[in-house]
Amino acid sequence: MPANLPPDARKKWAEVEETKNPKERLQLMQEFLSLVPKHKGTAKTCAQVKKQMAALRRELEEKKRKKTGKSGPKLFIEKEGAAQIALISLTKAGKSSLLSAVTHAKVEVSVNPYTTREPVPGIMDYQDMQLQIIEAPALIEGAADGRAWGPKTLGLARNADGLMLLVDLSKDPVKQMSLILDELNKARISTSKPKSTVEVERRYMGAGLRIIVTGKLVDCTFRDVEDLLKSYNVTDGVVKIHGEATLGEVEDAIFESTVYKAAVVVANKIDIDGAEGNLKLLRAYVGYRLPVVAVSSKTGTGLENLAETMVKTLEIIRVYTKEPAEREYSKKPFVLRKNSTIYDLARSIHSDFKDNFSFARVWSNRLVFSPRRVGANFTLEDGDVVEIHLK
Ligand SMILES: Nc1nc2c(ncn2[C@@H]2O[C@H](COP(=O)(O)OP(=O)(O)O)[C@@H](O)[C@H]2O)c(=O)[nH]1
Ligand SMILES: [Mg+2]
């Protein structure tokens, strides 16, 4: 349902977007809310804005704390390896135990709840790739509404490339799973592949508005989208619409877009009596939505499947590069998204490469002849060896 905001509210939101100062933004958001009529169609937008306001308030508090010398908690962790995975669960499900079982991280495993309040990173090896696993502070009911450190946990999940959703098989698995999925959903983090994605990337360079539709607009025209964006003063930037999107979904994305995260359910404590029964219940509840891997962080059962399942779900591929003058290819792969092209590879190697690209040669078992000379649009697959030639 589109929010159909009145023009003065749209204008006010445009003012919000133009302001960088958090204090002023907060004030303008408050004014924006007072201009929004309260009904079913606007409830979602209001909730999103309120959440952003809560985040701004925390940011301001944190700044204050920093000034007084007390260091605030660290929210984001620098990405390392092929992908960053946030490890999410209710308290005592075994996050710290899993992290210490699959990485070299030094973590505190405790019988007391809520021991891990700050995110803890570790590195998990998988073949010639490394996955960075981050133990998030325990998820609690109400996290998405800003309760306790909930926003920190959900912020980590939003920033990660993928999620491991840990469920404790010694307790009601459906209750845990539904709570986790509920909070993620409320925080606009989706674990199912979206039918559409709308990305609104604002720029302030006076270059105008570019709308790229690679899918289909539902119940609206290109012109409607353009008018909607203009009414929010989105006149500079790039808006990408993939899949089937409605005008309401485009409007939602102006405030905060839903992000999709590849997720694997990790059913922990399979060593415990009665765990098998709970695993069945969990599998029945999850169905085909997500892969479920049963493990024991204590005995090590099932841990060998974890990385592989995660990598598959992330849909990443490894590509090896070779210098034209050399025989051997790189030992360390470039990690790219599935369906990436030579162009994407060139761009990830060096920002200049894409402009100076001439052609590439590709070695692969799936090709009848290797190497094959290809252009920038050639789609890469896991294990391909590529030699890029520049002009
Ligand atoms: N039996 C069994 N106990 C486990 C397993 N994983 C964790 N635990 C226990 O569960 C409790 C909570 O573990 P912890 O890793 O601190 O959970 P966290 O709060 O999610 O980080 C500790 O007493 C662990 O020893 C497991 O696979 N099997
Ligand atoms: Mg812990």
Side-chain angles (χ1 to χ4, degrees), residues 89-98 108-112 114-116 135 166 268-272 295-299:
S89 82
L90 308 194
T91 189
K92 290 177 75 176
K95 293 179 298 300
S96 297
S97 307
L98 181 74
E108 186 184 349
V109 175
S110 167
V111 287
N112 301 317
Y114 308 116
T115 318
T116 317
E135 173 177 1
L166 194 74
N268 190 36
K269 309 196 189 179
I270 190 70
D271 59 284
I272 276 179
V295 304
S296 166
S297 307
K298 199 172 172 183
T299 66

Side-chain angles (χ1 to χ4, degrees), residues 254-266:
I254 293 171
F255 294 94
E256 189 186 27
S257 42
T258 299
V259 289
Y260 160 71
K261 299 290 163 185
V264 169
V265 177
V266 186

Side-chain angles (χ1 to χ4, degrees), residues 212-327:
I212 304 168
V213 182
T214 52
K216 207 173 89 186
L217 295 171
V218 180
D219 296 336
C220 61
T221 63
F222 194 84
R223 186 65 202 273
D224 294 337
V225 172
E226 206 171 37
D227 287 347
L228 177 80
L229 292 166
K230 283 202 176 128
S231 74
Y232 280 102
N233 225 9
V234 182
T235 48
D236 233 0
V238 184
V239 176
K240 292 185 202 159
I241 302 171
H242 300 287
E244 294 190 5
T246 63
L247 201 59
E249 282 165 336
V250 177
E251 187 169 19
D252 267 356
I254 293 171
F255 294 94
E256 189 186 27
S257 42
T258 299
V259 289
Y260 160 71
K261 299 290 163 185
V264 169
V265 177
V266 186
N268 190 36
K269 309 196 189 179
I270 190 70
D271 59 284
I272 276 179
D273 276 350
E276 289 289 344
N278 277 335
L279 177 62
K280 269 199 190 119
L281 292 174
L282 178 65
R283 284 199 197 277
Y285 177 73
V286 172
Y288 293 106
R289 285 185 287 174
L290 299 169
V292 178
V293 183
V295 304
S296 166
S297 307
K298 199 172 172 183
T299 66
T301 310
L303 290 177
E304 70 280 3
N305 302 325
L306 195 54
E308 187 183 347
T309 309
M310 194 70 237
V311 166
K312 264 200 191 129
T313 312
L314 283 167
E315 301 197 314
I316 50 184
I317 58 167
R318 283 160 294 181
V319 174
Y320 303 82
T321 53
K322 188 175 124 16
E323 295 288 330
E326 280 168 28
R327 279 185 146 193

Side-chain angles (χ1 to χ4, degrees), residues 33-279:
L33 282 181
S34 69
L35 294 170
V36 176
K38 304 287 175 285
H39 58 77
K40 225 175 124 195
T42 60
K44 206 161 142 194
T45 306
C46 288
Q48 278 166 257
V49 173
K50 280 183 192 152
K51 226 169 26 191
Q52 289 186 31
M53 289 172 72
L56 279 174
R57 285 200 191 96
R58 269 193 307 277
E59 193 185 313
L60 286 169
E61 264 170 35
E62 210 144 285
K63 270 199 191 133
K64 228 195 271 166
R65 210 169 343 147
K66 281 217 179 98
K67 267 193 201 138
T68 57
K70 280 180 254 164
S71 74
K74 203 169 164 189
L75 176 51
F76 295 116
I77 292 193
E78 204 72 43
K79 288 193 184 186
E80 267 181 67
Q84 185 181 75
I85 313 296
L87 182 54
I88 306 282
S89 82
L90 308 194
T91 189
K92 290 177 75 176
K95 293 179 298 300
S96 297
S97 307
L98 181 74
L99 193 70
S100 64
V102 299
T103 74
H104 301 297
K106 285 203 170 57
V107 283
E108 186 184 349
V109 175
S110 167
V111 287
N112 301 317
Y114 308 116
T115 318
T116 317
R117 293 285 185 86
E118 301 300 326
V120 185
I123 295 284
M124 175 165 72
D125 290 314
Y126 174 64
Q127 296 176 355
D128 53 5
M129 251 193 284
Q130 296 187 312
L131 301 180
Q132 182 188 37
I133 316 283
I134 299 181
E135 173 177 1
L139 193 71
I140 41 168
E141 195 170 353
D145 303 318
R147 205 178 139 209
W149 56 87
K152 187 154 58 169
T153 300
L154 292 165
L156 266 172
R158 183 169 260 274
N159 190 51
D161 301 304
L163 307 175
M164 284 187 185
L165 309 177
L166 194 74
V167 172
D168 180 345
L169 289 178
S170 73
K171 295 186 184 138
D172 182 346
V174 174
K175 213 163 141 187
Q176 297 171 64
M177 195 70 238
S178 62
L179 194 153
I180 294 171
L181 292 176
D182 262 7
E183 294 297 336
L184 289 174
N185 267 337
K186 278 195 211 155
R188 315 206 61 172
I189 300 167
S190 163
T191 54
S192 51
K193 266 201 194 160
K195 278 215 296 280
S196 70
T197 60
V198 182
E199 284 171 64
V200 178
E201 195 187 315
R202 290 166 195 267
R203 288 176 192 162
Y204 301 92
M205 299 179 296
L209 181 64
R210 267 183 75 202
I211 305 174
I212 304 168
V213 182
T214 52
K216 207 173 89 186
L217 295 171
V218 180
D219 296 336
C220 61
T221 63
F222 194 84
R223 186 65 202 273
D224 294 337
V225 172
E226 206 171 37
D227 287 347
L228 177 80
L229 292 166
K230 283 202 176 128
S231 74
Y232 280 102
N233 225 9
V234 182
T235 48
D236 233 0
V238 184
V239 176
K240 292 185 202 159
I241 302 171
H242 300 287
E244 294 190 5
T246 63
L247 201 59
E249 282 165 336
V250 177
E251 187 169 19
D252 267 356
I254 293 171
F255 294 94
E256 189 186 27
S257 42
T258 299
V259 289
Y260 160 71
K261 299 290 163 185
V264 169
V265 177
V266 186
N268 190 36
K269 309 196 189 179
I270 190 70
D271 59 284
I272 276 179
D273 276 350
E276 289 289 344
N278 277 335
L279 177 62

